Amino acid sequence: MAYILNIETATKNCSVSLAHNGTTILCREIAEQGYSHAEKLHVFIENILQESGIHLKDLNAIAVSKGPGSYTGLRIGVSAAKGLCYALQIPLIAVDTLAVLAAAVSQNDGWVIPMIDARRMEVYSAVFDSNRKKIQEVQAEILTLESYASVTDTVYFVGDCQEKCKTVLTRENFVFLPEIVFPSAQHMSAMSYDKYQQQLFEDVAYFEPFYLKDFMLIK
């Protein structure tokens, strides 16, 4: 049995979930323009533990979305996760933020391309096949009319930059899923439990978020 607390703060969504053996029990989240992570994160953690009847001492690990994403958001989430792991002497697990976004897609065909807005026509992206296996690593890319032009399969785009993406990604096989905007801690549960079983843990003292690029604020 494993209780894992999942923390996702890489975008405007401040999200926390509690999972048991890879299944989400409770999730609390809010996406606000003003980035309320510093105010809401610890409140969400406390509320979830109280509602579930699980105590901090019952947790087996803490999982955090490692990025890419907002510099400030990632720092808040990772700092909280590291502090809890150090105090409780439990493992720290890091989960790919774009993989979390991809996990929210229910379609089982084609490609899934999760994107996080950077600025102008730049995005952070990765490519996953229909089984959610990553087939192109995370990158910072500038979108153009030729982006993914060679792909003939159906491509599902998810993320917080769909409106600007639609202006250049116009091919008939491109599908935008507007209901999936931000990564959520509820979709971290299976991934964090898999890493827990494999004992794929991070060094609590030295772990840093995956910023991908030098410091910038995503607006």
Side-chain angles (χ1 to χ4, degrees), residues 88-99:
L88 299 171
Q89 292 297 292
I90 57 177
L92 173 66
I93 298 168
V95 178
D96 183 334
T97 301
L98 291 171

Side-chain angles (χ1 to χ4, degrees), residues 11 97-107 111-117 123-128 132 143 155-163 165-166 169 174-183 187:
T11 64
T97 301
L98 291 171
V100 176
L101 252 182
V105 178
S106 60
Q107 283 77 1
W111 290 12
V112 175
I113 302 182
M115 292 180 171
I116 294 175
D117 197 11
V123 299
Y124 301 140
S125 66
V127 180
F128 297 80
R132 305 302 176 266
L143 298 175
V155 181
Y156 298 99
F157 293 99
V158 296
D160 62 353
C161 51
Q162 296 192 41
E163 289 307 312
C165 293
K166 289 178 181 178
L169 302 176
F174 292 169
V175 178
F176 291 88
L177 302 178
E179 68 275 14
I180 303 173
V181 180
F182 300 114
H187 297 122

Side-chain angles (χ1 to χ4, degrees), residues 13 42 46 51 56 61 69 103 139 151-152 160 172 175 184 189 199 218:
N13 195 29
H42 290 282
E46 183 178 349
E51 290 181 42
L56 284 172
Q139 63 176 339
V151 182
T152 58
D160 62 353
E172 292 184 357
V175 178
S184 170
S189 300
Q199 297 188 21
I218 298 177

Side-chain angles (χ1 to χ4, degrees), residues 137-158:
E137 288 298 327
V138 178
Q139 63 176 339
E141 65 170 327
I142 296 174
L143 298 175
T144 71
L145 291 171
E146 299 306 313
S147 296
Y148 308 105
S150 62
V151 182
T152 58
D153 292 333
T154 302
V155 181
Y156 298 99
F157 293 99
V158 296

